[in-house]
Amino acid sequence: MSTSSLTATAAAPGIVARSRGIARRSPTFAVGALIVGTMLLVALLAEVIAPYSPTEAFSSNVLNAPGARFLLGTDGNGMDVLSRVIHGTRYAFGIALPAGLIMLLVGVPLGVLAGYKGGIVDEVLLRVLDVLRAFPTIILALAVVAAMGPNLFNVILVVGLLDSPILARIVRAEVLALREATFVRAAIAVGNPPWRIMVRHILPNALLGATAQLPVRMAWAVRISATLAFIGVGVQAPAPEWGAMIRQGAEYVISGEWWVATFPGLALIGMVLGLNLLGDGLSDLLDPRRLASGR
Amino acid sequence: MPLLTIDNLHVHFIARDLGDRVRTARALNGVSLTVDEGEIVGLVGETGAGKSLTGLALLGLLRPPAHIVAGTITFEGAPLDAAAISAARGKRITLIPQSPLTSLDPLCRVGDQLVRVQREHANVSRRAAIERARALLAEVRIPDPDRCLRAWPHELSGGMAQRVLIAMALVHRPRLIIADEPTTGLDVTVQADVLDTLRNLVRVHRMSALLVTHDLGVVAQYCDRVAVLFAGTSVECAPTATLFEATAHPYTRTLIASTPHAIRRQGYAAASGTPPDLYALPLGCVYRERCDQATERCAAAPTTTALSPTHAVQCHFAGATP
Amino acid sequence: MTIARFLLVRLLVAIPVVLGIVFFTFMLIRIGHQDPVNMLAGPMADAKMLESIRRELDLDRPVLDQFVTYLGKLARGDLGHSWQANKPVLDEIRAHLPITLELVVLAVGLGALIGIPIGLRAAFNPNGSFDQLTRFGALTGFSVPTYWLGLMAIFVFFYLLRWAPAPMGRLSLEVIAPVTVTGSTMLDSLIAGNWTALRSAIHQLMLPVACFTLVAAAPIIKQTRAIAIEVMGSDYIRQARANGLSDRTLRKIALRNALVPVVTFLGTEFTSLLAAASLIEFIFAWGGLGQWGLNAILQGDFAVVQGYVLTLALASVIVFLIVDLAVLVLEPRSHRRA
C-alpha cells in the first residue's frame, strides 16, 4: 500500500518556480545575476546600442557637459562618454572572462594536486600563498605588468595568474576534506585508481567550492585591471577601458568637468558590485548547511 | 499537581528549497509527558527521536527554522510562555548540556563564570559569590575547588567541565533540571560518577530532573519514570519498573531487547530499521513502517490509552503482548 | 614558550618569505623589458657611456651575483641609490614612510571605530533589515575604486562646496612646514606648537582620510559581522542563555570572544591598506611612500622599487608579529603552549 508521504512528491519545478525559489532564497544572487546579465547584454550589443563610435573624436565638441547630443558628455578628445562607457563593458568582460578561465585552468588542477598528493607541490603552493599574503597584490601586479609591458594580453595573464593560488587554496581545502570522506575511502577500497578517484569523485565537489568563488575573483580581476589602467600601466587611451577613462578624467575634475571620470567609475562599480553579489549569492545557494531539498 | 506538564508538543523545521516549495521536517509530533516534584523522568529514544529538541523547546532555546507549532507547556501551574521562560531560565529551570567542553565561555575562568551567573540577577558581593562558587564546586565533588575556580575551561577534562556545568545549574536552586545526554563523550567510569552526583544532588535538594538519554541502562538505574520517544512522538510513558515488566508498545519492546544484557539473556535480538524521514512521516501511527505488529488499523493514528493511572501508551494493540 | 622565543621563531619563519619577495622583485626588474640604463643615461649617450654605466651599476654581471651583492649591501644598511632623486634609498624611505603611516593609521583606526560596532550590530540580528542594509553597504564599499572615490570627493567637497582645500599636498601652500621630528605633519605641528600648521594639516587630511576610511571600513564591517555571527551561534552562548544571563551580558561575552579574530583581521587590513594608500597619495599629491614607489615602478628606478617592496614586506611582517603578540596576551588558550 503506497501511502507514505504526507507531502506530495511534486513534479520537478518549472523554470519560473525555480527562479522564484532562487530569488527568494538568495536575493543577492538574483540582483547580481541581473546586473551582470544586463552588462553582458550591453557588451554583446555594444555596436548597436552605442550612439557613436567610441574612438570618434568630435574636435568641436571637446569637454561638452552631458546634454541632448552627447548624453553623458564628451571627454578631452571630444569622444562621446556614453559610447565609450558602453564599449568599456567589452573590455571588462574581455579581461574578466579569460582571467577567470586562467584561474580555473591553473588554480583548480593545482589545488587538486596539492590537496590529494601533498608533498612538494603542496609545500610550494603554501609558500607561494604565504608570499602573496604578505605582499599586496596590487603592487605585484603593477610591478609585473610594468616590467612586461603594458598591454591587454599581459594584464589578463598577470591578473589571472595572480589569483590562481587563491582559487587553488580553496580547492585544496575542499580536496583535503573530501580525501578523508567515507565515500572516497570506499572507492579506494574497491580498487579505483587514484586518477579516477580524483576526477570522478573529488573534482566535482571541489569544483563546486571554486565556482562559488569565481565571480568574486573575477570582480577582483576587473578592479585590478582598471586600477592598473588608471595608474598608466594597463590598457591605455584611446581604448575605451574604464580605468583609462578615469585616468583621463582625473585631470578635469579639479576644473569641474566631472562627467569624464564619474560615469566610467559608476560602470566599474556596477560591474564589480554585480559580480560580488553574484558570488556571495552563489555561495549562499550552494551552502550545504542550508535546510534545502534533498539532492 | 505535576511540576511540569508537556501536552501534545509539536515542533516543525520550516524552510523553502530551491524550487520554492515549503519543506517541513516534523521533528516533534505530539510529545506529552509530566514531571512531578522530586522525581527523575527519563526521556529516551534513538537518534533523531527529538529528545534534545524537547528540552530546548521547553527552555525557549529554539532558533529558526525551528518553531513550536502546537502544544502547551505548563510549569508550576502556569503556562510557560516566552516571558515566563525568560524569567525562569537559569533560576527555576536549568540545563546541563550535551557537550560540556564547548559550553563554557573560553575567555573566562571557571570561578568568574560561576560568579557571573550569581550576580546577574541578585545583588551579591563578589566575595560572597566566590565563596558560594567554591561550595558548589565541592558539592559536585570536584577534588580541588580552589584550583578549579582559577582554571580556564580548556584546562578541564570532560568530566570536570560537566561537573562545573552542573554546579552552574544548581546556583539558584532550580525546581527542574534538564540534563541533555549529560554523559556523551565521557568515559564509562566518569559517566557513572557524574550521574551518581546528579542523582544525589537532585534527591538532597528535592529537585526534579528530566534526564534525556538514548541508554536504557541509564534509565533503569536512575529514573523513576520514563517517556519513550519515537519520531517525535511519546509512544509510551510509565514508571520504570512497569516499563520493563509490562511493556506495552512494540517499539519499547525492541529498545529493551536491544540493550546489551538483554541481548545476552535472550539470545540475539536485532533492532532493525532506519530512523524515519521527518519530511515524510507516514499517516497514522508513526511507528507502523518498522512495527512487526502493524495492520490496516495502524493507518489511523492511535489515541493515548491509559493502561493504568501511571502507564500511558499510544498503540492500537496497547498492552497485548504478541 | 617565553615571549622572546616566540618572537624569534616568528622572525625566523618570516625571513624566507621576505627574501622570497625581494628576490622576486629583483628578478622581475632585471628580466623585464625596460632597460634602466637607457633611461639613466639619457638620449645622448653612446654605447661606451652605456657600457660604463652598466659596469658601475653591476648590471653586466650575472643576475644571481647581483642579488648576492644586493643582499650583502642590505645587511650593511645600504639599500642603493635612487637615480631619480639622486639620494640614498634608505633616506627616502625614512622621509616618506611616516607620511603614509599617518594616513593608514588614521584610516584603520577610524575604520575600526566605525566598522566594528556596525558589524556587531548587524550580527545581533542576522538577516534583519539593518543587517541587509549593512551587507549591501559593505559590498558597495568593496566595489568602489579608491581613486575614483577620491576624485568624486574632490569634485563635490572642493569644487562644488568649497569645504575641503585643494588637493595639493599635506599643507596649504602658504603655510610653513614644521620641523620634521616624526615625519607626520600633524604630530610635528603639534610638537612644535605651530597651530596654523596644525590646522592646515588637519584641513588637508580630511578628504583623503575620509575616502580612505570608507574604503577601509567595508572589509572590517564584513569580517566583524561574520565573526560575530559565528560567535553568537556557539554552544557557550546558548548555555549562557540557558543559565539565565541577559541579552546584554550575552553580547558582552560575544564581544570579547570576537575580539581576537577581529584584531587579527585588522592586522591584515593594515598591510593591504599600506599598499592601497599609494592610490590616495597619487590623487591628493600626498608625497608619501606609496606615491614614491608608484612613480619608481613607472619609471624603472629599480633600487627604489626594491626598497619600496622590501619596506612593505617588512612592515607586514612586523604588523603580523604585533598582532600575534596581542593574541598571545588576550587568548588564554594560547598559553597552553607555554
Side-chain angles (χ1 to χ4, degrees):
Chain A
M1 143 163 75
S2 70
T3 82
S4 303
S5 296
L6 250 190
T7 55
T9 37
I15 289 278
V16 178
R18 259 266 150 123
S19 315
R20 212 178 328 128
I22 292 182
R24 194 186 249 130
R25 283 288 300 293
S26 181
T28 28
F29 180 80
V31 173
L34 198 68
I35 297 178
V36 176
T38 315
M39 293 208 151
L40 190 60
L41 217 64
V42 169
L44 291 172
L45 299 175
E47 307 267 328
V48 178
I49 306 180
Y52 306 97
S53 156
T55 44
E56 186 179 348
F58 297 86
S59 39
S60 50
N61 289 88
V62 170
L63 286 181
N64 276 17
R69 193 166 164 215
F70 303 100
L71 283 174
L72 297 183
T74 56
D75 68 6
N77 296 324
M79 303 186 199
D80 176 36
V81 173
L82 179 59
S83 310
R84 286 171 70 76
V85 168
I86 289 178
H87 278 263
T89 52
R90 292 198 161 174
Y91 272 89
F93 280 107
I95 293 177
L97 293 174
L101 199 64
I102 296 180
M103 285 182 225
L104 276 180
L105 289 177
V106 173
V108 170
L110 217 70
V112 169
L113 220 66
Y116 197 73
K117 274 299 171 64
I120 293 281
V121 179
D122 196 25
E123 279 307 309
V124 168
L125 182 65
L126 285 179
R127 291 303 132 231
V128 170
L129 283 175
D130 270 350
V131 169
L132 278 182
R133 199 153 41 104
F135 199 153
T137 355
I138 176 75
I139 305 293
L140 191 56
L142 191 55
V144 174
V145 176
M148 289 168 53
N151 61 54
L152 185 61
F153 180 73
N154 288 344
V155 170
I156 296 178
L157 197 64
V158 168
V159 164
L161 284 178
L162 267 184
D163 267 352
S164 302
I166 301 184
L167 216 65
R169 181 179 58 189
I170 296 171
V171 170
R172 171 184 176 273
E174 293 267 340
V175 170
L176 275 178
L178 284 172
R179 195 172 62 171
E180 303 305 313
T182 333
F183 75 92
V184 172
R185 281 204 168 134
I188 297 180
V190 173
N192 282 302
W195 67 265
R196 189 140 178 227
I197 297 181
M198 256 207 264
V199 171
R200 284 199 63 197
H201 300 282
I202 298 190
L203 200 61
N205 286 298
L207 262 179
L208 216 63
T211 317
Q213 263 291 307
L214 203 59
V216 177
R217 291 291 117 219
M218 294 206 310
W220 192 237
V222 172
R223 228 192 129 169
I224 288 208
S225 54
T227 310
L228 289 178
F230 174 77
I231 297 178
V233 178
V235 179
Q236 290 311 305
E241 202 263 358
W242 292 329
M245 291 168 71
I246 300 179
R247 174 186 172 81
Q248 206 208 40
E251 309 169 33
Y252 304 118
V253 164
I254 294 213
S255 44
E257 284 103 5
W258 53 276
W259 53 89
V260 189
T262 309
F263 295 112
L266 288 175
L268 190 61
I269 295 176
M271 178 75 159
V272 174
L273 187 64
L275 281 170
N276 269 319
L277 287 173
L278 197 67
D280 250 20
L282 205 61
S283 45
D284 262 352
L285 285 174
L286 293 177
D287 182 357
R289 274 177 296 148
R290 286 214 129 186
L291 204 65
S293 59
R295 276 196 198 191
Chain B
M1 189 196 42
L3 181 65
L4 172 77
T5 311
I6 301 180
D7 188 28
N8 201 25
L9 187 63
H10 289 255
V11 169
H12 290 180
F13 283 71
I14 306 174
R16 287 177 185 272
D17 67 1
L18 277 183
D20 205 26
R21 286 171 293 186
V22 174
R23 300 269 304 189
T24 310
R26 294 163 52 204
L28 294 184
N29 302 288
V31 175
S32 301
L33 60 88
T34 58
V35 180
D36 283 323
E37 296 216 17
E39 71 172 350
I40 301 181
V41 174
L43 191 57
V44 71
E46 58 192 39
T47 316
K51 320 183 288 294
S52 297
L53 208 59
T54 308
L56 290 177
L58 183 51
L59 280 162
L61 291 177
L62 289 181
R63 311 251 95 191
H67 304 276
I68 299 180
V69 296
T72 52
I73 305 178
T74 317
F75 180 68
E76 291 181 324
L80 199 62
D81 55 16
I85 188 57
S86 241
R89 235 187 264 144
K91 283 172 285 202
R92 300 206 304 288
I93 311 181
T94 57
L95 174 70
I96 298 172
Q98 198 167 10
S99 43
L101 285 172
T102 52
S103 300
L104 289 168
D105 182 356
L107 294 185
C108 194
R109 293 183 206 261
V110 169
D112 292 329
Q113 296 196 42
L114 279 164
V115 166
R116 183 162 65 194
V117 171
Q118 293 177 61
R119 299 185 75 189
E120 181 74 12
H121 296 284
N123 216 344
V124 182
S125 81
R126 190 181 157 81
R127 173 95 67 77
I130 294 184
E131 272 313 305
R132 181 96 201 288
R134 187 177 296 122
L136 281 166
L137 288 180
E139 228 186 312
V140 294
R141 310 226 306 257
I142 286 187
D144 189 348
D146 283 303
R147 184 146 163 237
C148 188
L149 281 176
R150 285 194 309 274
W152 297 98
H154 65 264
E155 295 171 346
L156 301 173
S157 70
M160 290 260 286
Q162 194 60 292
R163 288 174 196 275
V164 168
L165 284 158
I166 295 176
M168 272 206 251
L170 291 174
V171 164
H172 295 285
R173 295 282 178 246
R175 307 282 317 273
L176 174 66
I177 292 189
I178 302 175
D180 187 359
E181 307 223 41
T183 52
T184 309
L186 299 179
D187 283 344
V188 183
T189 38
V190 180
Q191 282 186 27
D193 231 1
V194 168
L195 286 172
D196 281 340
T197 312
L198 190 59
R199 178 182 44 196
N200 290 341
L201 288 166
V202 167
R203 296 275 183 251
V204 163
H205 296 290
R206 277 187 259 275
M207 301 185 285
S208 312
L210 184 63
L211 182 53
V212 175
T213 178
H214 58 269
D215 187 346
L216 269 182
V218 165
V219 165
Q221 213 181 338
Y222 294 98
C223 299
D224 303 313
R225 280 199 307 123
V226 190
V228 179
L229 235 55
F230 179 81
T233 318
S234 45
V235 294
E236 184 166 4
C237 302
T240 316
T242 317
L243 192 86
F244 285 117
E245 290 158 10
T247 322
H249 195 280
Y251 176 64
T252 320
R253 267 184 225 122
T254 331
L255 257 189
I256 294 174
S258 67
T259 50
H261 21 275
I263 290 178
R264 253 181 278 122
R265 245 184 287 126
Q266 294 167 24
Y268 187 76
S272 59
T274 49
D277 176 6
L278 296 172
Y279 284 104
L281 285 174
L283 289 161
C285 175
V286 288
Y287 186 55
R288 57 194 277 229
E289 285 176 356
R290 269 164 65 167
C291 185
D292 49 10
Q293 285 186 276
T295 68
E296 310 86 55
R297 273 183 76 187
C298 305
T303 48
T304 312
T305 313
L307 292 176
S308 84
T310 52
H311 190 174
V313 67
Q314 278 195 35
C315 178
H316 291 291
F317 309 103
T321 345
Chain C
M1 190 184 307
T2 63
I3 306 254
R5 186 148 161 238
F6 175 78
L7 279 176
L8 195 65
V9 168
R10 299 295 268 114
L11 276 173
L12 282 177
V13 169
I15 287 184
V17 177
V18 174
L19 274 179
I21 296 175
V22 175
F23 183 69
F24 187 78
T25 332
F26 199 87
M27 290 301 140
L28 204 60
I29 297 183
R30 301 258 178 315
I31 294 175
H33 87 167
Q34 278 177 334
D35 190 357
V37 185
N38 268 319
M39 286 188 276
L40 260 176
M44 302 292 218
D46 61 359
K48 203 138 183 285
M49 263 186 77
L50 290 176
E51 256 324 296
S52 69
I53 296 181
R54 201 157 283 164
R55 214 170 316 122
E56 206 182 292
L57 292 173
D58 289 338
L59 284 174
D60 53 345
R61 289 175 32 231
V63 186
L64 233 52
D65 270 7
Q66 295 183 39
F67 186 62
V68 173
T69 320
Y70 178 70
L71 283 182
K73 289 197 184 146
L74 256 190
R76 278 176 278 136
D78 176 9
L79 267 77
H81 210 85
S82 159
W83 58 260
Q84 265 255 300
N86 209 14
K87 276 200 222 130
V89 169
L90 194 57
D91 290 354
E92 292 270 85
I93 293 180
R94 256 205 222 113
H96 289 139
L97 184 60
I99 298 172
T100 305
L101 276 181
E102 181 183 40
L103 213 56
V104 177
V105 166
L106 280 173
V108 171
L110 286 173
L113 221 64
I114 302 176
I116 293 181
I118 294 182
L120 288 174
R121 170 104 191 279
F124 288 143
N125 221 334
N127 292 321
S129 39
F130 185 80
D131 184 31
Q132 305 264 33
L133 205 69
T134 308
R135 279 168 77 188
F136 187 75
L139 261 181
T140 322
F142 268 114
S143 315
V144 173
T146 331
Y147 48 92
W148 182 83
L149 191 64
L151 286 175
M152 293 299 111
I154 292 178
F155 175 67
V156 171
F157 292 104
F158 164 63
Y159 182 80
L160 283 182
L161 296 173
R162 294 287 168 188
W163 286 352
M168 294 210 266
R170 304 186 318 275
L171 280 176
S172 169
L173 289 174
E174 319 93 55
V175 176
I176 304 177
V179 174
T180 306
V181 175
T182 58
S184 148
T185 332
M186 227 174 43
L187 289 178
D188 287 344
S189 317
L190 204 63
I191 294 175
N194 185 344
W195 306 122
T196 352
L198 184 63
R199 258 213 333 268
S200 175
I202 294 182
H203 204 209
Q204 299 284 128
L205 266 173
M206 285 189 327
L207 216 49
V209 169
C211 292
F212 210 21
T213 305
L214 280 176
V215 170
I220 294 179
I221 292 178
K222 181 159 192 234
Q223 198 64 12
T224 309
R225 175 188 171 276
I227 292 172
I229 286 185
E230 205 188 311
V231 166
M232 291 296 283
S234 59
D235 275 348
Y236 55 86
I237 291 282
R238 188 177 73 178
Q239 184 60 25
R241 185 174 275 126
N243 283 335
L245 296 182
S246 68
D247 270 347
R248 234 184 101 226
T249 318
L250 290 178
R251 283 202 204 122
K252 282 209 293 215
I253 300 178
L255 189 74
R256 270 194 331 169
N257 274 281
L259 198 65
V260 168
V262 168
V263 163
T264 314
F265 178 72
L266 282 180
T268 335
E269 261 307 280
F270 192 89
T271 14
S272 71
L273 281 179
L274 209 55
S278 50
L279 293 167
I280 292 267
E281 289 173 15
F282 200 69
I283 304 252
F284 288 92
W286 206 246
L289 197 74
Q291 190 179 3
W292 175 71
L294 221 61
N295 282 322
I297 296 178
L298 290 174
Q299 278 142 0
D301 194 348
F302 47 94
V304 172
V305 174
Q306 270 149 228
Y308 177 52
V309 167
L310 185 64
T311 314
L312 285 182
L314 280 178
S316 70
V317 166
I318 294 178
V319 167
F320 282 139
L321 212 69
I322 296 179
V323 164
D324 280 339
L325 272 174
V327 168
L328 203 65
V329 166
L330 290 172
E331 252 280 13
R333 278 169 287 193
S334 49
H335 294 167
R336 197 183 238 159
R337 283 181 250 124

